[in-house]
Amino acid sequence: MSTVVETDVLIVGSGPAGASAALALSTYGVPNIVVTRYASLADTPRAHITNQRTMEVLRDLGVEQDVVARATPQHLMGNTTFCTSLAGEELGRVRSWGNDPVVQAAHELASPTRMCDMPQHLMEPVLVDAAVARGTSLRFQTEYLSHTQDTDGVTATVRDRLRGDTYEIRAKYLIGADGGRSRVAEDAGLPMGGRMGVAGSINIVFEADLTKYTAHRPATLYWVLAPGATVGGIGAGLVRCVRPWNEWLIVWGYDVTAGSPDLTTEYAESVVRQLVGDDEIPVTIKSSSAWTVNEMYAESYSHGRVFCAGDATHRHPPSNGLGSNTSIQDSYNLAWKLKLVLDGTASPKLLDTYTAERAPVGKQVVTRANRSIGETAPIFEALDGLAPQTPEQLWANIAARKDATEAAEKQRAALREAIAFKAYEFNAHGVDLNQRYTSDAVVPDGTPAETFARDPELHHQPTSRPGARVPHAWITSGTRTLSTLDTVGQGRFTLLTGIGGEGWVRAAKTQDIEIATVVIGPGQQYEDPYGDWARLREIPDAGALLVRPDGFVAFRHAAAAPDADALLSGALRRILGHA
């Protein structure tokens, strides 16, 4: 056994969860090592939808523009199309991913960022390159084998797959970001709910110039209703744009009880031909792989000094595009807490809030993604396409919707309604932004429980309540226009107040932890020319919001207070685990 390598945090896995954990920790100055058993970063597109909350995280970590430069922009994502093949009949469309005019306005009001389509093989290098540039040590072809932990740290045994030897890495904390078959989560004994292997799917990555079938209706997803499309998988054949309009990924189902099919190039091309509907267009198959649809979530995200994030804790189909988003947000939640515990600012009790805050989000995501699969069935039902039948019968049912009969009119209405209902998958803005945390790192302010004016899955409802992400509003500082979100984060707490809140500013400066202060109002460092912040903050000018490093409100007080110092220090003691 060679010399033990030491670090503060060992991260197993270099996917979205592991890479973003490394990036955040290195940004905060925390020494960390990433090990991955693979010889490279992701070489297939896999995860891709990148929502507004994740873009806010990447904005705070300084890589937002690197992602925007490589991603497919939002306006090319949104004509989600249902058809018999790309070259065949179109059955309907859904304006998706914030491209419906009403939803687009909600996106503009909710965040300074725009969602985009950033395939995983492009995202990982952005995260990892920035992490390494800021101090992360990355080790490819290094396989995690096991770990033991004690009161002072974790000792992981890893194998160098090039040399074949094993060695130990001693860390104060271990993060398991090693995917849906996480060995770290298994070794840590994390309790899981749900089940694996619900259905089977195949990914086929290919190149073909499909401009003539797609550029006039630009989209990330084209759903194909074809014979066999309801077998396993995600409810229909799916043609996904990786790069407009010549790089693609097909998702096709298979009967998981019968085992995965023989993924030959010929088989893959036959599926591509069926879904594209053009036998003449040149096609190059790049790769194909089988995977299973899972419905599993961890009930606890940690055991002692071992924490898990990403697919290690929530395993679900790609519906709603929530996987990598939730993974990055997991790591962002954990990183600042580790930083404050490692530098002695916070008690280790702060780390208990990671499970309390993120496990409910993970469970919601798993449930929502699997529910979206079932919500595809009404489209087939409208076409009588679920019952076993010949391809000829399915085509006849599809053609019948064009008849001038009462039955056909009902069929057309049912089909329109079924397609529109997919907004719960393609425009679930509330799922993206309505996360609410309840934990010891959030101090309730005694106000009545929040009620939602509209469907909380479809519609974002901004609030400054403790446990919610601080609302976005455009404010100014001199000639600069910036978001309220740009005044918080950066690894430290921030206190937001207004005219009359001088006592809160003085109190912030007397604390033992760095707290940035932001005063918003006429003649102050920051001004609110549109009045948006005054409307969204939900407290008077002299009140205060204490915002955590991850942009979530930790403490709210509705007015000036003669005992501001005591109130603020008491809140911080609770948040940091010293109470």
Side-chain angles (χ1 to χ4, degrees):
M1 190 77 68
S2 58
T3 303
V4 174
V5 177
E6 295 188 358
T7 189
D8 279 4
V9 181
L10 171 62
I11 302 164
V12 179
S14 59
S20 54
L23 174 56
L25 289 169
S26 288
T27 302
Y28 303 153
V30 177
N32 64 91
I33 296 173
V34 175
V35 299
T36 173
R37 66 193 303 271
Y38 300 107
S40 67
L41 301 178
D43 57 1
T44 58
R46 301 206 285 275
H48 60 115
I49 298 294
T50 308
N51 65 32
Q52 282 184 297
R53 179 55 193 155
T54 298
M55 291 302 290
E56 290 172 358
V57 170
L58 301 177
R59 183 185 185 95
D60 183 49
L61 295 176
V63 295
E64 178 194 16
Q65 291 309 312
D66 295 313
V67 171
V68 169
R70 293 163 176 79
T72 298
Q74 185 175 13
H75 71 275
L76 294 180
M77 296 170 60
N79 280 284
T80 299
T81 301
F82 294 83
C83 55
T84 60
S85 69
L86 292 191
E89 278 199 66
E90 182 175 308
L91 304 173
R93 304 180 195 176
V94 179
R95 296 183 181 94
S96 307
W97 313 122
N99 281 285
D100 180 285
V102 175
V103 179
Q104 185 176 26
H107 277 235
E108 293 279 352
L109 291 169
S111 175
T113 69
R114 288 182 177 270
M115 71 183 311
C116 61
D117 189 300
M118 182 65 168
Q120 187 169 337
H121 69 303
L122 302 180
M123 176 70 86
E124 284 186 16
V126 169
L127 301 177
V128 170
D129 287 354
V132 170
R134 298 176 196 180
T136 294
S137 294
L138 173 65
R139 296 292 179 269
F140 286 113
Q141 299 207 74
T142 302
E143 182 179 8
Y144 162 86
L145 299 177
S146 64
H147 75 264
T148 59
Q149 60 174 309
D150 51 50
T151 56
D152 298 319
V154 182
T155 302
T157 301
V158 300
R159 176 168 53 227
D160 186 306
R161 301 181 78 188
L162 282 175
R163 296 191 307 252
D165 62 325
T166 62
Y167 62 97
E168 291 181 343
I169 300 176
R170 176 70 174 173
K172 294 170 183 173
Y173 293 97
L174 168 63
I175 298 176
D178 49 337
R181 296 181 178 86
S182 172
R183 189 162 179 178
V184 176
E186 181 179 352
D187 290 349
L190 299 190
M192 297 281 182
R195 62 194 179 103
M196 298 280 278
V198 176
S201 283
I202 300 162
N203 280 2
I204 300 169
V205 180
F206 68 101
E207 293 179 353
D209 183 357
L210 302 181
T211 303
K212 65 180 178 179
Y213 300 125
T214 58
H216 64 287
R217 48 183 179 182
T220 286
L221 304 175
Y222 300 83
W223 294 77
V224 179
L225 279 68
T230 56
V231 177
I234 55 176
L238 175 63
V239 183
R240 177 191 134 197
C241 179
V242 176
R243 304 298 283 172
W245 303 110
N246 53 16
E247 293 184 36
W248 303 88
L249 184 149
I250 273 178
V251 183
W252 184 247
Y254 69 90
D255 183 358
V256 72
T257 62
S260 59
D262 186 9
L263 300 179
T264 62
T265 299
E266 291 73 22
Y267 173 81
E269 185 168 332
S270 71
V271 174
V272 170
R273 295 290 182 196
Q274 179 179 357
L275 271 60
V276 171
D278 184 338
D279 290 340
E280 303 301 321
I281 203 162
V283 170
T284 301
I285 303 297
K286 305 295 289 185
S287 67
S288 57
S289 58
W291 52 280
T292 57
V293 175
N294 303 314
E295 189 169 1
M296 181 170 280
Y297 51 86
E299 294 164 349
S300 173
Y301 281 22
S302 67
H303 175 72
R305 289 175 172 266
V306 178
F307 298 83
C308 286
D311 289 355
T313 55
H314 35 81
R315 305 165 189 179
H316 53 87
S319 313
N320 288 80
L322 297 167
S324 63
N325 291 290
T326 311
S327 300
I328 289 170
Q329 294 164 34
D330 285 346
S331 295
Y332 188 61
N333 180 286
L334 178 60
W336 70 268
K337 297 173 181 178
L338 283 171
K339 186 261 186 186
L340 293 182
V341 171
L342 284 163
D343 70 14
T345 300
S347 160
K349 288 195 295 184
L350 174 61
L351 299 174
D352 295 338
T353 67
Y354 173 57
T355 287
E357 294 179 353
R358 294 305 298 173
V361 174
K363 183 177 180 180
Q364 179 200 20
V365 163
V366 170
T367 301
R368 177 67 258 167
N370 279 277
R371 189 183 302 157
S372 290
I373 292 178
E375 290 168 353
T376 304
I379 298 174
F380 282 91
E381 290 171 1
L383 300 169
D384 295 324
L386 286 176
Q389 57 188 266
T390 64
E392 291 74 20
Q393 184 60 54
L394 178 60
W395 303 139
N397 294 345
I398 290 173
R401 81 190 194 287
K402 294 179 281 189
D403 294 342
T405 65
E406 183 178 348
E409 186 168 354
K410 288 182 178 179
Q411 183 185 36
R412 290 191 293 271
L415 182 59
R416 286 194 300 269
E417 182 178 346
I419 290 175
F421 195 71
K422 292 298 284 181
Y424 277 93
E425 178 171 356
F426 306 130
N427 280 315
H429 200 209
V431 175
D432 296 345
L433 292 179
N434 282 344
Q435 296 172 16
R436 303 290 190 261
Y437 292 159
T438 302
S439 76
D440 287 340
V442 173
V443 181
D445 66 352
T447 55
E450 181 181 15
T451 58
F452 285 88
R454 297 185 294 174
D455 189 319
E457 287 197 336
L458 288 182
H459 303 287
H460 167 51
Q461 179 166 297
T463 179
S464 69
R465 293 177 61 87
R469 155 191 162 277
V470 70
H472 154 69
W474 290 114
I475 58 177
T476 60
S477 179
T479 59
R480 290 191 305 141
T481 298
L482 68 163
S483 169
T484 46
L485 273 69
D486 295 327
T487 68
V488 304
Q490 300 172 48
R492 78 275 196 270
F493 282 80
T494 305
L495 185 132
L496 302 177
T497 188
I499 294 174
E502 295 83 2
W504 293 110
V505 174
R506 288 193 296 270
K509 293 177 180 177
T510 66
Q511 304 304 314
D512 293 332
I513 184 174
E514 179 192 1
I515 302 177
T517 55
V518 175
V519 182
I520 304 174
Q524 307 303 308
Q525 180 185 2
Y526 298 95
E527 300 198 36
D528 181 23
Y530 302 106
D532 292 339
W533 178 243
R535 175 176 51 84
L536 292 167
R537 70 190 180 196
E538 299 177 322
I539 57 173
D541 288 343
L545 301 176
L546 181 66
V547 182
R548 308 184 329 184
D550 60 356
F552 277 71
V553 178
F555 166 81
R556 179 172 73 169
H557 197 278
D563 56 346
D565 185 82
L567 288 171
L568 194 57
S569 62
L572 283 166
R573 282 197 302 274
R574 170 174 171 161
I575 294 162
L576 299 176
H578 295 312

